[in-house]
């Protein structure tokens, strides 16, 4: 099979080619696994964290990718929930305990990090962590649902908001544009304020129904009950805390934060940013319950991700675009 592999960690530049297009051995299923013929794989910021060494994979070379849509090609001896030809999706969770808090368990393993992922024509995964995909979604548009949408759903649950609470979103890319649809569906009376660094992203948010959009350092029209931060930066954390109501909650939806603007944390003022029982909540990984619940809700709405597709061999371009260009929705790799 063909695959894009990461051999060495490096800082991504506008000219970088961190992944190599190679021939790679086809995977064989273990007794509890399925092998998928990959149709599409979303491109997530976590891949940038892996390439640049903020999240160091246990071993290299590695096939990245954890927003996978594929078709079952073969099954292990102990698999009975999937049949050859079934369409399934795989998210960030490759394996864990199956408990409600499996995202926090030390045995948690990530797709495209602890095991090879979906930047390839085929991949294997434990059968219990492959999810049936509702028929109304095409392969490429379903891919971002597996992480950007599912982890956004988990983040929204962690806000503990109720209908009518004003909610904020910081950054407006692959995850936040799906969370906005979720908020409209689950909390239709909640106004949504979006903070984004570029005007194109702010207009995109308004086009999708945000109540207000402004730059990262702006003040929202009203104090917010909760803000979900989907950025790799620290400035949105400090500004988000300032925009919270007393008792409000900032939910940070990121595996890692970059160090380039970490000095912004020196701007924290206890009275302005933290006092009055304001809270910071991180999002750690995801459970299989989150993905299953989200896919059902996404099909009811239905959520329609905005995507830009790239052939597998152009994965480096998709990654560079994610880091250096305003991204309208999500980038997705598609297999020939």
């Amino acid at each position: 099979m063909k695959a894009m592999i990461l051999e060495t960690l490096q800082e991504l530049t506008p000219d970088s080619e961190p992944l190599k297009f190679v021939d790679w051995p086809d995977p064989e299923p273990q007794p509890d696994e399925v092998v998928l013929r990959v149709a599409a794989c979303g491109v997530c910021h976590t891949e940038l964290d892996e390439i640049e060494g903020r999240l160091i994979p246990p071993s290299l070379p590695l096939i990245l990718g954890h927003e996978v849509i594929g078709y079952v090609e073969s099954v292990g001896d102990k698999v009975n929930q999937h049949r050859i030809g079934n369409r399934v999706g795989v998210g960030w969770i490759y394996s864990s305990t199956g408990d409600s808090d499996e995202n926090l368990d030390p045995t948690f393993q990530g797709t495209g990090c602890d095991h090879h992922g979906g930047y390839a024509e085929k991949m294997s995964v434990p059968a219990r962590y492959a999810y049936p995909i509702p028929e109304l979604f095409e392969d490429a548009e379903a891919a971002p649902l597996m992480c950007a949408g599912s982890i956004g759903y988990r983040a929204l649950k962690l806000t503990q908001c109720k209908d009518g609470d004003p909610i904020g979103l910081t950054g407006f890319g692959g995850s936040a544009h799906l969370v906005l649809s979720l908020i409209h569906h689950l909390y239709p009376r909640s106004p949504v304020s979006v903070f984004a660094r570029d005007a194109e992203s702010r207009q995109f948010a308004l086009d999708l129904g945000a109540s207000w959009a402004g730059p990262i350092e702006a003040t929202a029209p009203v104090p917010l009950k909760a803000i979900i931060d989907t950025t790799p930066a620290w400035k949105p954390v400090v500004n988000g805390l300032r925009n919270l109501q007393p008792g409000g909650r900032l939910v940070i939806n990121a595996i890692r934060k970059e160090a380039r603007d970490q000095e912004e944390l020196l701007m924290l003022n206890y009275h302005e940013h933290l006092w009055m029982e304001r809270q910071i909540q991180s999002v750690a990984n995801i459970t299989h319950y989150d993905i299953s619940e989200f896919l059902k809700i996404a099909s009811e709405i239905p959520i329609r991700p905005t995507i830009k597709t790239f052939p597998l061999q152009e994965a480096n371009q998709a990654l560079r675009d994610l880091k250096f260009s305003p991204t309208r929705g999500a980038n997705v790799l598609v297999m020939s």
Side-chain angles (χ1 to χ4, degrees):
M1 70 176 186
K2 297 293 186 180
M4 296 293 291
I5 64 168
L6 175 67
E7 293 184 313
T8 59
L9 306 184
Q10 58 190 273
E11 184 72 19
L12 202 66
T13 71
D15 300 316
S16 290
E17 297 281 335
L19 306 184
K20 183 183 294 185
F21 190 56
V22 300
D23 290 308
W24 193 262
D26 286 1
E28 294 290 336
Q30 297 299 308
D32 65 340
E33 291 182 342
V34 295
V35 169
L36 308 182
R37 175 173 52 83
V38 177
C41 184
V43 178
C44 178
H45 194 277
T46 300
E47 275 97 75
L48 299 182
D49 291 330
E50 292 176 275
I51 292 167
E52 297 184 326
R54 290 178 295 276
L55 176 62
I56 299 177
S59 64
L60 295 173
L62 176 70
I63 302 171
L64 304 177
H66 60 270
E67 295 182 334
V68 186
I69 303 297
Y71 294 80
V72 176
E73 185 171 84
S74 59
V75 300
D77 295 340
K78 296 182 180 179
V79 174
N80 52 32
Q81 66 266 57
H82 299 298
R83 296 182 181 277
I84 293 174
N86 286 171
R87 185 174 71 152
V88 297
V90 183
W92 173 240
I93 183 169
Y94 182 91
S95 68
S96 190
T97 62
D99 298 332
S100 60
D101 60 350
E102 64 181 347
N103 60 310
L104 306 178
D105 195 275
T107 65
F108 182 99
Q109 296 192 323
T111 309
C113 182
D114 299 295
H115 293 269
H116 294 306
Y119 283 24
E121 292 178 327
K122 299 180 183 181
M123 69 167 287
S124 60
V125 66
R128 71 181 300 177
Y129 292 103
Y131 309 86
I133 301 299
E135 291 184 5
L136 76 162
F137 298 117
E138 296 182 0
D139 294 338
E141 69 175 352
L145 302 179
M146 300 311 301
C147 178
S150 298
I151 200 70
Y153 171 64
R154 181 172 184 84
L156 184 59
K157 289 195 295 183
L158 289 172
T159 67
Q160 300 182 3
C161 283
K162 60 182 184 298
D163 192 20
D165 289 335
I167 302 172
L169 299 173
T170 302
F172 203 72
S175 184
H177 91 287
L178 303 180
V179 175
L180 181 59
S181 293
L182 273 174
I183 295 171
H184 288 332
H185 179 70
L186 298 174
Y187 311 126
R189 296 189 297 113
S190 290
V192 181
S193 296
V194 171
F195 304 86
R197 62 182 178 178
D198 60 275
E200 182 179 340
S201 295
R202 296 195 290 270
Q203 186 58 54
F204 183 35
L206 294 172
D207 293 343
L208 292 184
S211 304
W212 173 89
I216 295 295
E217 63 275 10
T219 299
V222 297
L224 303 169
K225 179 66 176 179
I227 297 174
I228 298 173
D229 168 37
T230 62
T231 73
W234 290 102
K235 183 175 181 177
V237 171
V238 177
N239 191 70
L241 289 168
R242 182 177 62 81
N243 273 286
L244 289 177
Q245 297 176 2
R249 176 173 288 199
L250 175 68
V251 177
I252 301 177
N253 182 6
I255 292 285
R256 296 290 189 272
K257 285 281 191 179
E258 297 178 5
R260 54 190 166 88
D261 73 336
Q262 200 162 358
E263 68 276 5
E264 290 286 341
L265 292 174
L266 296 176
M267 301 301 293
L268 273 175
N269 176 285
Y270 178 76
H271 180 81
E272 182 181 10
H273 299 99
L274 296 171
W275 195 50
M276 296 299 289
E277 301 187 358
R278 294 179 176 94
Q279 305 170 47
I280 300 176
Q281 168 81 56
S282 69
V283 180
N285 303 314
I286 198 166
T287 73
H288 73 279
Y289 300 100
D290 298 317
I291 297 176
S292 296
E293 291 172 7
F294 171 71
L295 288 174
K296 182 176 184 297
I297 295 170
S299 65
E300 291 170 353
I301 295 177
I303 287 179
R304 293 295 185 186
T306 297
I307 60 171
K308 181 179 180 180
T309 60
F310 298 78
L312 173 63
Q313 59 268 35
E314 293 182 15
N316 288 313
Q317 184 61 56
L319 289 161
R320 291 192 299 266
D321 282 5
L322 180 61
K323 180 167 183 176
F324 296 110
S325 303
T327 301
R328 189 178 177 91
N331 292 343
V332 178
L333 306 179
V334 293
M335 312 307 153
S336 58

